[in-house]
């Protein structure tokens, strides 16, 4: 059985959809914290079981009969994410999985300025030590993460954020397809992958230009001082820890941590990756 964790999240749900195009539903199992949210998957014939990385004893039942397990990285800030990820990997090995897959990040590094990358790097090291074939999917930075930053720009005509750098913004849909291929095809994607990214990078000046073309209005990119931006974000209602966390993304970007591009994603899925323009157009039209 192919097990996917976090199957009610954005990436996990897309992965299951792509799996259902490739294998019978009775070969797919999902591990979710709230089984009621996965009722639609159960109706489609997918095995749905409760599983929470922070309660590892329950994962044995969730992963029962696993041939391969895809651990979608825990969305927990701080040290709890590493503990949760490693607990899920340990449970997959204990369940007898013959391959363990993990959704890592293109910039995974023990020295990254962006804390999630340090978690991914440590999780990859743990994964290597399990004595089980593994795949660490080094996903490109999710293009949908641009959404929270463009709302004000669409209202005011100014995209005001801290100094950044080039990022290979990549669509969830393409990364989900790559994950489904990795789960279902032997030797398709193994070990720690090369960066799974769209072929081009954009900084926020590029984003402003694209928004201008999409909307037919002039969207101007303005660079804010880090402290100024943090104070403004908090004043607009963002909790200070969240604002400070977001600032680390900009700091890492301007150091070039997210600038890598690679053809591996397109080669794996067999077609061009979605462009950031397409993702931004969808974000604009959804508002």
């Amino acid at each position: 059985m192919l097990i996917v964790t976090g199957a009610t999240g954005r990436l996990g749900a897309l992965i299951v959809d792509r799996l259902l195009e490739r294998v019978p539903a009775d070969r797919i199992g999902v591990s979710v914290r709230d089984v009621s949210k996965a009722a639609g998957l159960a109706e489609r014939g997918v095995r749905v079981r409760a599983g929470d990385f922070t309660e590892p004893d329950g994962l044995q039942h969730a992963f029962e009969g696993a041939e391969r397990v895809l651990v979608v990285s825990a969305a927990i800030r701080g040290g709890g994410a590493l503990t949760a990820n490693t607990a899920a990997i340990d449970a997959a090995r204990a369940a007898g999985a013959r391959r363990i897959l993990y959704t890592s990040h293109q910039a995974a590094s023990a020295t990254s300025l962006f804390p999630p990358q340090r978690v991914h790097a440590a999780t990859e090291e743990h994964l290597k030590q399990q004595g089980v074939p593994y795949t660490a999917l080094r996903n490109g930075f999710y293009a949908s993460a641009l959404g929270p930053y463009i709302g004000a720009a669409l209202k005011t005509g100014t995209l005001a954020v801290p100094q950044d750098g080039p990022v290979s913004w990549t669509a969830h849909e393409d990364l989900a397809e790559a994950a489904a291929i990795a789960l279902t095809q032997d030797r398709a994607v193994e070990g720690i992958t090369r960066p799974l990214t769209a072929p081009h990078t954009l900084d926020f000046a590029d984003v402003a230009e694209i928004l201008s073309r999409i909307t037919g209005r002039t969207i101007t990119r303005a660079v804010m001082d880090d402290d100024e931006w943090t104070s403004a974000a908090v004043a607009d209602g963002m909790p200070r820890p969240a604002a400070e966390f977001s600032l680390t993304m900009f700091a890492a970007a301007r150091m070039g941590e997210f600038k890598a591009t690679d053809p591996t994603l397109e080669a794996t899925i067999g077609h061009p990756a979605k462009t950031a323009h397409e993702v931004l157009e969808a974000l604009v039209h959804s508002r």
Side-chain angles (χ1 to χ4, degrees):
M1 180 163 281
L2 308 176
I3 307 293
V4 178
T5 73
T8 54
R10 178 163 186 178
L11 181 63
L14 286 169
I15 292 170
V16 175
D17 283 342
R18 299 292 80 80
L19 282 176
L20 285 165
E21 296 170 356
R22 290 169 168 79
V23 299
D26 61 8
R27 281 199 61 202
I28 305 170
V30 299
S31 168
V32 294
R33 283 184 294 177
D34 184 348
V35 295
S36 67
K37 293 183 178 179
L41 292 177
E43 291 172 359
R44 297 169 74 181
V46 173
R47 190 185 80 180
V48 176
R49 291 188 176 177
D52 187 330
F53 292 5
T54 64
E55 299 177 4
D57 290 345
L59 293 175
Q60 181 177 355
H61 179 64
F63 293 172
E64 183 182 8
E67 173 189 348
R68 298 182 181 188
V69 175
L70 172 61
V71 176
V72 175
S73 53
I76 304 171
R77 290 180 188 165
L82 177 59
T83 300
N85 291 339
T86 56
I89 289 168
D90 291 346
R93 182 194 58 190
R98 296 198 293 274
R99 177 171 293 276
I100 303 172
L101 302 92
Y102 169 72
T103 58
S104 188
H105 195 279
Q106 69 178 91
S109 168
T111 59
S112 175
L113 296 177
F114 190 44
Q117 309 322 311
R118 302 197 291 269
V119 172
H120 288 308
T123 302
E124 288 181 353
E125 286 302 313
H126 186 75
L127 186 57
K128 289 180 189 177
Q129 297 166 10
Q130 301 313 301
V132 176
Y134 68 90
T135 301
L137 298 159
R138 283 200 163 181
N139 289 343
F141 214 113
Y142 298 143
S144 62
L146 290 166
Y149 301 103
I150 68 173
L154 296 175
K155 293 178 182 177
T156 67
T158 302
L159 180 56
V161 289
Q163 182 62 54
D164 65 317
V167 178
S168 45
W169 301 105
T170 308
H172 274 83
E173 291 84 353
D174 293 327
L175 296 170
E177 187 174 357
I181 290 169
L183 271 166
T184 56
Q185 295 183 19
D186 291 335
R187 295 182 295 279
V189 185
E190 297 184 311
I192 295 177
T193 69
R194 296 185 63 80
L196 299 173
T197 70
H200 305 294
T201 61
L202 301 174
D203 60 19
F204 273 90
D206 298 318
V207 171
E209 290 181 9
I210 292 172
L211 290 175
S212 297
R213 293 199 297 271
I214 291 171
T215 63
R217 300 166 47 212
T218 298
I219 306 293
T220 303
R221 196 305 194 213
V223 178
M224 296 183 72
D225 174 80
D226 288 357
D227 292 339
E228 178 189 8
W229 179 83
T230 302
S231 297
V234 171
D236 285 342
M238 183 182 292
R240 179 166 290 276
E244 292 173 347
F245 173 82
S246 296
L247 188 61
T248 65
M249 180 198 76
F250 289 96
R254 61 186 174 234
M255 292 299 292
E257 290 194 27
F258 311 128
K259 68 180 181 180
T261 61
D262 194 276
T264 298
L265 175 62
E266 292 188 329
T268 300
I269 63 180
H271 60 78
K274 273 192 169 186
T275 66
H277 187 288
E278 291 176 284
V279 175
L280 285 167
E281 194 163 28
L283 287 170
V284 169
H285 292 155
S286 69
R287 291 175 179 272

